[in-house]
């Protein structure tokens, strides 16, 4: 049976789709370092889109980077919707306000967040809208949003490599937090650029794998690299 991502789908739906399409070939063909390299690769290409003022390049690469970050969550067996919600329960994770007031009164510690599950978004689009309320797009430039996104890319990679080297249980929580931070910055960049991640993902994943359209993906590593290059450098 063919699978797709509907524009009104949930973040959990998106994660499940990435699992169904890519986990089997990914487990065979990609180490965690490979996955992180792909996620970083498309993030950097998206940032090039920001620098060049190329919104289409930014959009395609942002969507690819987002899909690879969900693949990271799948490899680490993290519920991405749950970790994002508990990190940002309609509140800034630093100042615990919505909208964020960190620029006005920088907190010296993270307060305990009061979570109201009745506010939890039910769709991927809803999560992106939530981040636009926590971190309004008019409060930053697109370039500033991109710099923050790049910072979180590095911090997520650092957290994962630390765990793979030391295997301390507490490091798993740090990975969850950094993945959530990466997702939040991805959505903030999208909000600054006027990109609808849910709509874009529905266009990309309308029939199984976005390249071979098989379930699970049957692309060779060579074909994946060629498709990714052509797809992300329009």
């Amino acid at each position: 049976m063919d699978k797709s991502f509907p524009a009104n789908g949930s973040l959990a739906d998106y994660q499940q789709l990435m699992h169904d399409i890519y986990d089997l070939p990914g487990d065979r063909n990609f180490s965690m370092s490979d996955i992180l390299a792909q996620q970083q690769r498309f993030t950097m290409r998206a940032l090039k889109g920001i620098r060049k003022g190329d919104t289409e390049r930014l959009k395609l690469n942002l969507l690819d980077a987002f899909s690879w970050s969900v693949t990271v969550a799948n490899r680490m067996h993290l519920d991405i919707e749950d970790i994002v919600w508990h990190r940002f329960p309609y509140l800034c994770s630093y100042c615990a306000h919505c909208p964020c007031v960190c620029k006005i009164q920088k907190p010296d510690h993270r307060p305990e967040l009061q979570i109201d599950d009745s506010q939890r978004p039910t769709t991927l689009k809803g999560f992106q809208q939530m981040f636009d309320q926590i971190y309004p797009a008019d409060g930053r430039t697109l370039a500033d949003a991109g710099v923050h996104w790049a910072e979180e890319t590095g911090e997520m990679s650092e957290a994962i490599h630390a765990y793979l080297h030391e295997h301390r249980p507490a490091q798993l929580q740090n990975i969850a937090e950094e993945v959530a931070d990466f997702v939040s910055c991805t959505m903030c960049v999208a909000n600054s650029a006027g990109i609808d991640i849910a709509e874009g993902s529905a266009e990309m994943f309308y029939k199984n794998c976005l390249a071979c359209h098989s379930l699970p993906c049957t692309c060779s590593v060579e074909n994946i690299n060629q498709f990714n290059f052509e797809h992300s450098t329009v």
Side-chain angles (χ1 to χ4, degrees), residues 21-199:
I21 298 174
Y22 296 117
D23 270 18
L24 177 58
D27 288 347
R28 289 173 175 168
N29 297 323
F30 292 96
S31 68
M32 176 58 84
S33 292
D34 293 331
I35 294 170
L36 288 171
Q38 293 288 352
Q39 178 253 332
Q40 292 162 9
R41 173 189 186 188
F42 289 108
T43 301
M44 295 306 107
R45 286 183 172 174
L47 293 175
K48 187 174 183 179
I50 293 176
R51 181 175 64 82
K52 288 182 170 291
D54 187 338
T55 303
E56 188 63 18
R57 180 192 291 262
L58 168 58
K59 176 182 176 180
L60 290 173
N61 285 287
L62 180 144
L63 293 172
D64 274 330
F66 179 64
S67 71
W68 281 102
S69 71
V70 175
T71 299
V72 170
N74 281 336
R75 180 64 64 90
M76 298 304 298
H77 298 278
L78 298 172
D79 182 329
I80 199 164
E81 182 174 301
D82 199 57
I83 63 176
V84 170
W85 172 244
H86 283 89
R87 182 74 161 168
F88 301 95
Y90 249 105
L91 299 169
C92 171
S93 64
Y94 279 95
C95 67
H97 285 80
C98 181
C100 168
V101 296
C102 286
K103 289 184 177 180
I104 301 172
Q105 49 187 55
K106 185 69 174 179
D108 55 10
H109 68 282
R110 289 179 184 265
E112 183 176 350
L113 300 178
Q114 300 300 312
I115 299 175
D116 179 1
D117 284 324
S118 68
Q119 292 187 301
R120 182 169 175 156
T122 58
T123 63
L124 174 55
K125 190 184 295 284
F127 270 96
Q128 185 173 346
Q129 292 169 345
M130 178 188 78
F131 280 111
D132 197 38
Q133 292 187 45
I134 301 173
Y135 305 111
D138 61 6
R140 62 181 177 272
T141 66
L142 177 56
D144 285 342
V147 169
H148 193 183
W149 192 33
E151 178 185 345
E152 294 303 336
T153 302
E155 291 183 2
M156 187 175 83
S157 179
E158 183 179 11
I160 292 171
H161 284 300
Y163 173 75
L164 293 177
H165 177 66
E166 299 175 359
H167 299 286
R168 290 190 285 114
Q171 292 170 320
L172 284 172
Q173 178 59 32
N174 190 35
I175 291 173
E177 292 170 353
E178 295 300 345
V179 171
D181 287 350
F182 179 83
V183 171
S184 76
C185 285
T186 304
M187 293 189 175
C188 286
V189 169
N191 286 330
S192 290
I195 296 168
D196 188 318
I197 294 176
E199 293 285 350

Side-chain angles (χ1 to χ4, degrees), residues 91 220 224:
L91 299 169
S220 67
I224 290 172

